Amino acid sequence: MGICRVKEYDCWLQERGANSFSAQTVDALSVICANINGDIATNAVNELREGLLKRFGIQSKCVISSDAPCITARVNGASDIGAEGFKIKSENGGVVIEGADERGLLYGVYYFMRELSLGADISTMDITEVPAGAIRMINHWDNIDGSIERGYAGRSVFFSDSKLSYDPVRIKDYARLLASVGINLLSINNVTVRFEAKRLITEDHLPRIAELAAVFRPFGVRLVLSINFSAPYSYGDLDTADPLDPGVAQWWKDRADLVYKYIPDLAGFLVKADSEGEPGPFQYGRDHTDGANMLAKALKPHGGDVIWRCFVYNSTQDWRDHTQDRPCAAYSHFLPLDGRFDDNVILQIKNGPLDFQVYEPVSPLFGALSKTRHIMEFQVTQEYTGQQIDVCYLPFMWQDVMRFDTKHGENATIAAMIGGRIEGIA
């Protein structure tokens, strides 16, 4: 199956016709004052120029300095805004877009263009935005054959016929969409890693993944790879994947070194272990800290994280056996391990403890975990809209979850925890 090339459509940067700005505003928007370095910051200025042209028909020029009203784009670097945050402020008849860092500048550019699209007056702008959470990730459940687990929207945009197969123009459009809403991490393959997908961390596939990472990089999006815990023996040369075996630890260290040789800014590995028949440390009498920490040590020299999924249960359990309570599984497994994970391990917890429900309670791990880094996972799939037979609007459900009070201290809502406003909560 060949690459399906789509028309270059630039997402929301499509041409929209003439603008209705005043002559003074057009003059200010026609000059961009930018003295910046870095791929993301350079792309931010390019996106600003293209946006002004395609959205509003304004041809802009870039200068190093200007005494006339203009758009000033700059990176602060002093962290007084907050990581990946930005300020947009009217100044001297023009406007300043100031990012705390390169990503912040890019996000500020997109926010600014949205405000212009909504008719905002550049003479009254005074905006400060800082992300509440450092990790804002999309997990693709794309299989290497091109199918998508839990997918109702067609084929994978990354894979086909057991290899990477993508249209870089389409991927660039996707990168733009992700950055425009502040997504900074992207896991490209299914958490259930089977067949040839186990070999994505080999040189058979890493060169193409590196090319894919290069498309996302100027948009501030770093890749994550889902791995299979059994890799040391399922395609490697070992006879075990025991996380306490020194040979296994060395195998993963060598594998991490190879992966980062091709993708130096890889955010890390995503792991589904000991759940729904997938291999994990349980098969060796070990626990989740043994497995996660072994991988974390392999990634640590490269600045990578292990994102370890907490949705753990035995998919063969008999529903008539009332001694096994699936919604309690994550809580029972992980709360006793709180504080034992390495600092580059992040537990990924589904918003609810059951699964496949239109609406369910919030996982009790939120609020209870106090010594381990953790993040929330929402399912953007139609199993969560009534198995494709009902209509619902997911953001309202997510809003309810974010406002849920865990009762673990004052102002102990999920939103407060994600924002790091509860002392002792990772």
Side-chain angles (χ1 to χ4, degrees):
M1 180 178 178
I3 294 174
C4 177
R5 182 168 292 279
V6 298
K7 180 182 178 182
E8 184 175 0
Y9 55 90
D10 293 328
C11 304
W12 45 265
L13 286 182
Q14 297 173 66
E15 295 182 18
R16 299 298 175 95
N19 66 76
S20 58
F21 300 131
S22 67
Q24 292 86 350
T25 297
V26 171
D27 287 344
L29 298 178
S30 298
V31 179
I32 300 173
C33 180
N35 186 9
I36 54 178
N37 295 301
D39 291 344
I40 300 173
T42 299
N43 188 47
V45 174
N46 291 337
E47 289 287 288
L48 179 57
R49 294 188 69 186
E50 284 204 33
L52 291 171
L53 178 61
K54 293 183 177 180
R55 295 277 297 178
F56 312 111
I58 297 175
Q59 182 77 52
S60 59
K61 63 178 180 179
C62 281
V63 299
I64 300 299
S65 62
S66 175
D67 295 327
C70 65
I71 305 172
T72 299
R74 66 192 182 206
V75 174
N76 183 313
S79 73
D80 62 328
I81 300 173
E84 301 188 7
F86 60 84
K87 292 181 179 179
I88 304 174
K89 190 173 180 61
S90 301
E91 186 175 290
N92 300 327
V95 66
V96 175
I97 306 173
E98 181 177 46
D101 42 39
E102 289 188 68
R103 282 189 181 86
L105 178 61
L106 181 63
Y107 301 152
V109 162
Y110 289 137
Y111 196 106
F112 175 66
M113 285 194 284
R114 186 186 74 178
E115 290 296 291
L116 289 181
S117 299
L118 294 173
D121 185 350
I122 69 168
S123 67
T124 59
M125 288 187 172
D126 190 359
I127 301 160
T128 300
E129 289 281 334
V130 181
I135 295 175
R136 305 176 300 279
M137 179 169 68
I138 294 286
N139 287 8
H140 277 257
W141 285 1
D142 292 25
N143 299 313
I144 200 165
D145 65 0
S147 64
I148 301 175
E149 184 176 346
R150 311 287 183 244
Y152 296 91
R155 305 284 291 177
S156 171
V157 297
F158 302 123
F159 304 106
S160 177
D161 299 328
S162 296
K163 62 181 182 297
L164 274 91
S165 178
Y166 55 86
D167 179 353
V169 174
R170 192 180 191 190
I171 295 301
K172 182 178 178 181
D173 275 331
Y174 183 39
R176 177 181 291 114
L177 282 177
L178 295 177
S180 71
V181 293
I183 300 297
N184 59 7
L185 297 184
L186 185 73
S187 175
I188 63 172
N189 62 308
N190 192 357
V191 294
T192 303
V193 184
R194 295 174 178 165
F195 310 116
E196 183 64 19
K198 295 178 183 180
R199 299 178 57 80
L200 287 174
I201 54 175
T202 72
E203 289 189 289
D204 291 343
H205 298 284
L206 285 170
R208 284 286 282 160
I209 298 175
E211 293 172 3
L212 183 66
V215 180
F216 283 104
R217 191 170 291 120
F219 290 90
V221 179
R222 298 165 66 201
L223 297 190
V224 176
L225 290 176
S226 296
I227 62 165
N228 186 289
F229 194 83
S230 73
Y233 70 79
S234 62
Y235 77 81
D237 54 1
L238 303 183
D239 60 4
T240 180
D242 183 349
L244 297 190
D245 185 306
V248 171
Q250 184 63 46
W251 190 94
W252 279 111
K253 180 184 180 301
D254 294 342
R255 188 57 46 185
D257 291 345
L258 175 65
V259 171
Y260 278 88
K261 171 185 172 184
Y262 283 92
I263 315 165
D265 61 345
L266 186 80
F269 291 157
L270 175 62
V271 188
K272 174 182 179 178
D274 291 317
S275 181
E276 301 177 307
E278 290 304 295
F282 284 177
Q283 68 194 77
Y284 302 101
R286 315 305 186 190
D287 63 29
H288 289 285
T289 58
D290 296 324
N293 290 346
M294 180 271 295
L295 290 169
K297 288 178 174 59
L299 296 180
K300 184 80 169 182
H302 306 284
D305 290 323
V306 172
I307 302 173
W308 191 272
R309 299 184 82 244
C310 292
F311 195 67
V312 176
Y313 72 95
N314 181 358
S315 58
T316 63
Q317 71 187 49
D318 188 338
W319 62 269
R320 294 164 294 187
D321 181 359
H322 293 177
T323 64
Q324 296 196 48
D325 188 353
R326 174 170 149 184
C328 284
Y331 188 90
S332 299
H333 285 308
F334 287 94
L335 190 61
L337 305 178
D338 192 19
R340 289 176 50 196
F341 289 96
D342 286 1
D343 60 5
N344 62 323
V345 174
I346 302 168
L347 300 184
Q348 185 183 64
I349 309 166
K350 283 192 176 183
N351 62 279
L354 188 52
D355 209 11
F356 300 120
Q357 307 300 306
V358 174
Y359 203 89
E360 61 178 307
V362 175
S363 171
L365 272 177
F366 291 107
L369 285 176
S370 61
K371 302 172 184 176
T372 305
R373 297 173 68 194
H374 56 282
I375 55 177
M376 177 173 285
E377 175 186 6
F378 284 117
Q379 276 58 57
V380 191
T381 77
Q382 287 206 321
E383 278 88 350
Y384 285 78
T385 59
Q387 288 73 42
Q388 204 179 9
I389 59 174
D390 296 321
V391 176
C392 78
Y393 186 56
L394 287 172
F396 282 139
M397 182 190 77
W398 301 339
Q399 179 177 271
D400 284 350
V401 171
M402 288 298 181
R403 292 175 176 175
F404 181 81
D405 189 347
T406 68
K407 303 299 182 182
H408 287 271
E410 295 184 12
N411 188 28
T413 64
I414 299 294
M417 283 188 284
I418 288 175
R421 295 188 292 273
I422 299 180
E423 186 174 354
I425 297 293

